[in-house]
């Protein structure tokens, strides 16, 4: 795989100072996965081109590395020697580290000088096609030229290869260009060769400093770079969000809009609800707890503050809510012991999810009314049949109470996204049916000020697995 960088800045040979590589020499470097070579095919006053050629040795990489699993052909025969992948990022940092980090001993003023640069990557494996290449590089101010290839010239029907030769042209400092490449090359490939850990997150934030937070595809870039590790990805997003100050205020403004102001505003209803849910969770004796449909993470914060709960998992379908939750929990700044107690998962409550099995208890606070009836049936199975925690604490609005809110027109639901709101009888009929069907018992508690005629604003059901209570 070959990366070439060309400048027409004069004198063009300045590029060699920035790269810390002598223009007259062919230099080779031994890396853990093969060799890297740096050479200059063109050096003149007007134009200078430097090449980084990477020679990956797929056999050498696995030999003697303690791979005890059965023989995998893929380890030996794969595309790694021929495409620009995360190996290229490693080579950039090991061979061109000074340039990447913006250091230049001999000509320090060059570091901050934007130069007319053209970089060609041959070849870049891309999951997402030409469109993704443009969507990623164009917002960074590059002109993008893409050359595509047939998968096999003999079989045109097979269509196009996912590998492209990509040429980017722009006026950038060399460090900017190299940092973009460092982060983005592995993002296209979407397959990483080395372990993704804390360190990777630090690298992403460091190399993405100053440009990633404003990139329209920052979510996708972070997720792919961190290879779909939700916890790392969410921490990354939380920290990127912190970088953009304008978004700071959104946390305040974006919380759920609701008609639920209580007549006597002493303690807001959502706080009373949290209090009741926390009390039920504590009383269950649970040590591991799921907050399903955790939203912006208010309950998670309360759980984290109580040491009874050793393992806390929040799940939501909304990435935006999870970002806010990560921020509210200060996930990126928690001491390690605390951070280990809490995890955020992106997922849906309507699919079986093995990550949710084996917990003592689950809370679903104001969630079921957000699901269409057929989805609710899917949630019932996923929760009561598969995840099957010993205790389930579930709240939902009591529709009867809506008349107490003068500002809420008759027949209107409390929140625009609610699919239904149940009367007490409707909720209790549903809950009792489900409990019977799946072997749970259930009891009901009012939450908030109780009116004689219409009951309390929120209704809570606490389900307990029967085999659990019997033993
Ligand atoms: N429990 C939180 C949020 C309630 S709002 C609180 O009390 O503040 C309902 C939440 O359920 C939203 O965050 C929404 O994104 C989430 N949700 C809706 N449908 C979902 C689904 N199918 N899977 C997971 N989460 C879902």
């Amino acid at each position: 795989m070959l990366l070439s960088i060309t400048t027409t800045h004069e004198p063009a040979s300045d590029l060699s100072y920035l790269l810390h590589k002598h223009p007259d020499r062919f230099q080779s470097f031994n890396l853990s996965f093969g060799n890297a070579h740096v050479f200059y095919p063109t050096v003149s006053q007007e134009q200078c081109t430097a090449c980084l050629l990477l020679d990956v040795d797929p056999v050498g990489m696995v030999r003697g590395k303690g791979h005890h699993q059965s023989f995998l052909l893929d380890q030996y025969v794969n595309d790694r020697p021929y495409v620009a992948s995360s190996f290229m990022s490693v080579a950039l940092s090991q061979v061109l580290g000074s340039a990447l980090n913006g250091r230049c001993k001999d000509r320090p003023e060059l570091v901050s000088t934007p130069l007319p640069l053209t970089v060609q990557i041959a070849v870049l494996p891309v999951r997402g096609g030409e469109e993704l290449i443009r969507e990623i590089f164009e917002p960074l101010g590059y002109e993008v030229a893409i050359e595509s290839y047939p998968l096999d010239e003999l079989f045109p029907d097979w269509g196009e290869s996912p590998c492209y030769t990509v040429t980017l042209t722009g006026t950038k400092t060399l460090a900017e260009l190299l940092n973009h490449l460092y982060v983005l090359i592995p993002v296209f490939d979407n397959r990483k060769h080395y372990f993704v850990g804390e360190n990777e997150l630090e690298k992403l934030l460091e190399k993405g400093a100053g440009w990633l937070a404003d990139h329209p595809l920052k979510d996708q870039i972070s997720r792919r770079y961190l290879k779909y590790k939700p916890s790392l990805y969410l921490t990354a997003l939380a920290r990127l969000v912190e970088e953009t100050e304008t978004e700071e205020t959104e946390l305040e403004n974006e919380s759920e809009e609701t008609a639920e102001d209580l007549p006597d505003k002493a303690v807001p209803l959502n706080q009373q609800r949290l209090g009741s849910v926390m009390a039920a969770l504590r009383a269950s004796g649970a040590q591991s707890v799921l907050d399903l449909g955790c939203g912006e993470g208010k309950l998670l914060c309360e759980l984290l503050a109580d040491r009874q709960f050793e393992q806390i998992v929040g799940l939501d379908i909304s990435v935006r809510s999870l970002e806010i939750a990560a921020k509210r929990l200060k996930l990126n700044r928690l001491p390690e012991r605390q951070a280990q107690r809490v995890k955020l998962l992106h997922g849906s409550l309507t699919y079986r999810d093995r990550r949710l099995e084996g917990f003592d208890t689950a809370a679903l606070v104001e969630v079921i009314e957000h699901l269409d009836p057929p989805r609710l049936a899917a949630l019932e199975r996923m929760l009561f049949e598969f995840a099957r925690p010993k205790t389930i604490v579930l709240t939902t609005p009591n529709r009867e109470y809506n008349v107490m809110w003068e500002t809420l027109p008759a027949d209107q639901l409390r929140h625009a996204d609610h699919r239904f709101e149940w009367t007490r009888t409707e909720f209790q009929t549903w809950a009792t049916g489900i409990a019977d069907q799946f072997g749970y018992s259930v009891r009901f508690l009012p939450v908030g000020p109780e009116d004689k005629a219409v009951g309390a604003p929120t209704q809570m059901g606490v389900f307990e697995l029967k085999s659990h209570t019997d033993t």
Side-chain angles (χ1 to χ4, degrees):
M1 56 188 120
L2 183 66
L3 182 80
S4 69
I5 302 172
T6 301
T7 186
T8 48
H9 158 89
E10 290 193 25
S13 53
D14 275 354
L15 185 62
S16 64
Y17 285 101
L18 276 169
L19 291 173
H20 287 237
K21 297 287 173 282
H22 199 288
D24 296 337
R25 283 195 219 134
F26 182 101
Q27 298 178 62
S28 297
F29 305 83
N30 210 317
L31 307 175
S32 61
F33 49 85
N35 295 308
H37 312 282
V38 177
F39 57 95
Y40 292 78
T42 315
V43 187
S44 71
Q45 180 73 9
E46 303 78 36
Q47 183 168 334
C48 178
T49 299
C51 289
L52 174 63
L53 175 71
L54 214 50
D55 188 11
V56 169
D57 173 8
V59 177
M61 245 159 35
V62 284
R63 194 186 293 138
K65 293 267 165 69
H67 287 260
H68 295 305
Q69 72 262 56
S70 57
F71 175 82
L72 294 172
L73 185 62
D74 182 52
Q75 285 180 352
Y76 295 88
V77 184
N78 58 44
D79 65 357
R80 299 297 93 180
Y82 315 108
V83 299
S85 65
S86 52
F87 291 122
M88 186 57 96
S89 301
V90 177
L92 285 175
S93 77
Q94 296 191 351
V95 177
L96 304 177
S98 305
L100 181 69
N101 294 315
R103 287 195 300 268
C104 185
K105 229 177 21 227
D106 298 331
R107 306 284 303 278
E109 77 287 357
L110 285 177
V111 166
S112 50
T113 310
L115 311 172
L117 293 170
T118 298
V119 62
Q120 187 171 76
I121 312 160
V123 290
L124 188 65
V126 179
R127 264 181 230 181
E130 291 196 30
E131 205 180 328
L132 182 68
I133 304 177
R134 292 187 191 284
E135 282 175 358
I136 286 193
F137 285 117
E138 284 175 351
L140 295 169
Y142 292 101
E143 221 174 276
V144 181
I146 302 168
E147 203 179 326
S148 58
Y149 304 94
L151 196 56
D152 190 319
E153 278 170 7
L154 297 178
F155 302 95
D157 288 355
W158 289 3
E160 283 196 355
S161 152
C163 292
Y164 302 87
T165 297
V166 176
T167 309
L168 308 172
T169 308
T171 303
K172 304 270 165 213
T173 68
L174 183 64
E176 277 173 330
L177 171 81
L178 294 178
N179 279 288
H180 291 157
L181 297 177
Y182 178 95
V183 170
L184 296 173
I185 285 177
V187 160
F188 287 107
D189 184 22
N190 208 7
R191 164 173 163 174
K192 290 201 67 183
H193 72 278
Y194 50 87
F195 176 66
V196 178
E198 263 328 298
N199 209 1
E200 284 309 301
L201 175 58
E202 292 311 318
K203 283 186 203 157
L204 174 68
L205 294 167
E206 183 196 315
K207 304 286 191 281
W211 61 273
L212 186 53
D214 295 325
H215 198 293
L217 293 193
K218 68 167 190 267
D219 293 18
Q220 210 176 337
I221 292 171
S222 313
R223 196 171 58 224
R224 282 175 163 231
Y225 184 89
L226 298 168
K227 193 104 202 269
Y228 298 101
K229 284 245 159 127
S231 57
L232 284 179
Y233 156 63
L234 290 166
T235 314
L237 283 185
R239 286 175 59 172
L240 288 174
V241 169
E242 271 168 24
E243 241 189 69
T244 13
E245 250 181 21
T246 43
E247 291 192 8
E248 203 59 43
T249 44
E250 272 178 47
L251 182 58
E252 265 46 79
N253 302 339
E254 220 179 85
S255 358
E256 278 218 344
E257 251 180 57
T258 156
E260 291 184 333
D261 277 339
L262 290 177
D264 127 28
K265 293 193 176 170
V267 183
L269 178 57
N270 79 33
Q271 227 160 303
Q272 293 194 33
R273 193 157 49 218
L274 278 184
S276 304
V277 170
M278 279 300 291
L281 294 173
R282 286 191 185 107
S284 75
Q287 294 182 327
S288 57
V289 50
L290 292 168
D291 182 4
L292 302 175
C294 62
E296 299 175 0
K298 292 191 193 116
L299 178 63
L300 294 172
C301 284
E302 303 249 341
L303 289 165
L304 190 63
D306 186 330
R307 283 157 178 246
Q308 171 181 340
F309 305 104
E310 292 166 5
Q311 196 192 353
I312 304 160
V313 169
L315 174 133
D316 207 284
I317 201 165
S318 153
V319 170
R320 181 72 194 132
S321 295
L322 290 170
E323 281 177 44
I324 297 174
K327 199 171 168 201
R328 188 187 296 277
L329 287 161
K330 303 191 173 63
L331 265 194
N332 55 319
R333 273 176 266 146
L334 286 180
E336 200 174 326
R337 260 184 64 94
Q338 291 290 81
Q340 278 171 355
R341 288 173 56 215
V342 59
K343 203 165 17 160
L344 294 177
L345 299 177
H346 180 222
S348 172
L349 291 170
T350 53
Y351 295 95
R352 179 173 187 176
D353 187 335
R354 294 194 189 273
R355 297 174 300 179
L356 306 181
E357 290 171 18
F359 281 78
D360 294 335
T361 197
L364 288 94
V365 181
E366 308 294 281
V367 172
I368 56 169
E369 65 277 7
H370 290 261
L371 300 176
D372 289 322
R375 305 263 116 222
L376 182 61
L379 173 140
E380 290 162 12
R381 288 199 64 195
M382 112 64 200
L383 178 62
F384 290 88
E385 183 177 338
F386 300 121
R388 214 165 167 73
K390 297 184 194 100
T391 308
I392 297 167
V393 178
L394 188 149
T395 75
T396 194
N398 164 19
R399 192 179 73 217
E400 294 166 83
Y401 193 90
N402 290 1
V403 296
M404 302 290 283
W405 282 299
E406 283 162 12
T407 50
L408 189 64
D411 292 334
Q412 190 174 316
L413 303 183
R414 293 181 203 179
H415 190 276
D417 193 41
H418 285 180
R419 303 304 150 95
F420 60 85
E421 280 169 8
W422 278 333
T423 62
R424 284 168 293 173
T425 313
E426 282 167 334
F427 176 54
Q428 292 180 14
T429 308
W430 173 80
T432 315
I434 293 295
D436 284 349
Q437 186 183 343
F438 292 102
Y440 281 78
S441 64
V442 59
R443 64 203 149 85
F444 300 97
L445 297 136
V447 178
E450 206 170 2
D451 177 85
K452 263 204 198 108
V454 297
T458 297
Q459 37 191 347
M460 179 160 89
V462 179
F463 299 79
E464 301 214 51
L465 190 60
K466 275 196 184 139
S467 55
H468 165 65
T469 41
D470 292 348
T471 51

